[in-house]
């Protein structure tokens, strides 16, 4: 079941050989937006990151601890995979050194338990230092136990959260090119697509966790002070497009022209707010919403009127 621990301490899968590239899921094996160098790029990991929330804009969330140990296999399977990784032809001294590296794995033959291997998030600037501080590349743990720094369901949730992105929408206005003093400027967003985005992080055969973000509301910053603009924020998830005869509940009514502003415009900011849920409540904590802001210049003029004397 997604979000639940399926098995802890022993494995339901055969471990991949260390020479195999880790399958980190997603379209490119990554789950993050590069502009902020955020999200996750998993190294030496079997965790698979998938979902609809991998191709938008990140809010820069970072995993609290960017390295961990992952379960890889029992004593016999790990010894076999380590032997398979040895080259067929090596100089004598090098061959002896590599054979010595097998001794810890040979010593565990016949013992119940699981080998765990280091893994880390290389997208985090502290990832390499974290994994180096763990020490041994492999540790052995008895059945149904997790070694120090062994990955937990809470950390799997963290990986899914760090990989989560949401769309970066476009601000739409009516009137579009230019507004005027005291004229309602309707505000809404386009380019959102699906208003629910999710990411699942799975350690195959062991556990899985899903986080979901749902667009709930938008916030409007008129780009000026309250004496120069009246903001209405009864907007719903994506704002309210202009409709003839409809009540004006989402947008800005500018009270003064923008001629005295830098570049003769107000800079309007609209922030989409996406609360996050953790599927099945597998951890006793909550995340702040993902918030993504976009801006648009709004020139505001004054309607000039001419009074003619008659009679």
């Amino acid at each position: 079941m997604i979000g639940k621990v399926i098995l802890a301490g022993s494995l339901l899968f055969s471990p991949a050989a260390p020479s195999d590239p880790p399958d980190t899921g997603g379209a490119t094996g990554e789950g993050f937006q590069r502009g902020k160098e955020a999200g996750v790029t998993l190294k030496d990991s079997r965790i698979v990151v998938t979902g609809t929330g991998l191709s938008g804009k990140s809010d820069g969330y970072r995993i609290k601890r960017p390295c961990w140990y992952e379960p890889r296999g029992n004593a016999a399977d790990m010894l076999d995979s380590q032997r398979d990784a040895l080259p067929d032809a090596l100089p004598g001294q090098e061959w002896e050194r590599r054979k010595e590296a097998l001794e810890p794995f040979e010593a565990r033959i016949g013992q119940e338990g699981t080998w765990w291997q280091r893994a880390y998030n290389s997208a985090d600037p502290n990832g390499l230092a974290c994994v180096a501080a763990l020490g041994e590349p492999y540790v052995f743990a008895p059945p149904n136990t997790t070694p120090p720094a062994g990955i937990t369901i809470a950390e799997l949730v963290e990986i899914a959260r760090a990989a989560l992105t949401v769309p970066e929408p476009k601000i739409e206005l009516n009137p579009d090119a230019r507004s005027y003093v005291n004229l309602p400027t309707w505000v809404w967003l386009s380019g959102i697509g699906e208003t629910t985005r999710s990411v699942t992080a799975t350690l195959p055969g062991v556990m899985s966790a899903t986080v979901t973000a749902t667009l709930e509301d938008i916030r409007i910053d008129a780009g000026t002070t309250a004496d120069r603009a009246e903001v209405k924020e009864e907007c719903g998830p994506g704002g309210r497009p202009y409709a003839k005869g409809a009540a004006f509940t989402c947008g800005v009514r500018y009270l003064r022209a923008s001629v005295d502003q830098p570049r003769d415009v107000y800079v309007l900011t609209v922030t989409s707010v996406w609360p996050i849920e953790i599927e099945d409540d597998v951890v006793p904590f909550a995340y702040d919403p993902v918030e993504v802001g976009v801006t648009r210049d709004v020139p505001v003029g004054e309607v000039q009127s001419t009074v003619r004397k008659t009679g």
Side-chain angles (χ1 to χ4, degrees), residues 46-307:
R46 300 189 77 251
I47 294 171
V48 180
V49 178
T50 57
T52 60
L54 297 176
S55 59
K57 186 172 180 62
S58 169
D59 63 346
Y61 186 86
R62 283 187 184 175
I63 301 169
K64 293 180 178 65
R65 185 181 69 180
C67 67
W68 54 88
Y69 283 102
E70 290 179 15
R72 294 305 296 250
N74 60 33
D77 288 340
M78 280 299 290
L79 178 59
D80 288 344
S81 66
Q82 293 295 310
R83 282 174 174 162
D84 290 344
L86 289 175
D88 292 331
L90 282 173
Q93 189 173 13
E94 179 66 11
W95 178 255
E96 291 300 320
R97 189 183 68 82
R98 295 296 297 273
K99 284 179 63 179
E100 288 177 6
L102 296 177
E103 291 176 359
F105 301 98
E106 292 171 340
R108 296 292 181 178
I109 291 297
Q111 296 184 23
E112 295 293 325
T114 302
W115 279 103
W116 295 61
Q117 180 180 353
R118 294 183 305 189
Y120 67 105
N121 174 24
S122 67
D124 191 301
N126 299 319
L128 274 174
C130 179
V131 77
L134 287 180
E136 293 296 328
Y138 299 92
V139 294
F140 190 80
N144 301 315
T145 63
T146 298
I151 193 164
T152 64
I153 187 66
E155 288 176 314
L156 204 62
V157 171
E158 284 275 283
I159 290 169
R161 171 62 184 91
L164 179 66
T165 68
V166 299
E168 185 173 19
K170 177 184 176 182
I171 298 174
E172 303 288 353
L173 303 176
N174 188 308
D176 185 25
R178 184 178 184 85
S179 192
Y180 292 90
V181 171
N182 292 321
L183 180 68
T185 301
W186 295 62
V187 175
W188 68 99
L189 298 176
S190 65
I192 293 174
E194 294 293 329
T195 56
T196 298
R197 304 295 174 108
S198 67
V199 170
T200 298
T202 302
L203 186 55
V206 183
M207 56 187 174
S208 181
T210 298
V211 296
T212 300
T214 302
L215 179 59
E216 181 177 87
D217 200 2
I218 65 172
R219 291 199 309 268
I220 299 173
D221 182 339
T224 187
T225 53
D227 61 320
R228 299 179 69 107
E230 175 191 1
V231 177
K232 292 184 176 291
E233 290 188 304
E234 294 180 20
C235 295
R240 300 195 185 279
Y242 171 77
K244 186 176 181 179
F248 175 57
T249 64
C250 180
V252 183
R253 191 192 311 271
Y254 286 101
L255 308 178
R256 292 181 60 181
S258 59
V259 66
D260 61 343
Q261 300 296 298
R263 300 185 294 110
D264 298 333
V265 298
Y266 294 111
V267 180
L268 176 74
T269 301
V270 180
T271 300
S272 57
V273 181
W274 301 70
I276 296 174
E277 293 184 355
I278 303 169
E279 189 165 318
D280 292 338
D281 296 324
V282 295
V283 290
F285 55 79
Y287 290 111
D288 292 334
V290 177
E291 297 186 358
V292 174
V294 287
T295 62
R296 178 168 171 177
D297 292 346
V298 183
V300 178
E302 290 189 275
V303 176
Q304 303 295 324
S305 60
T306 301
V307 178

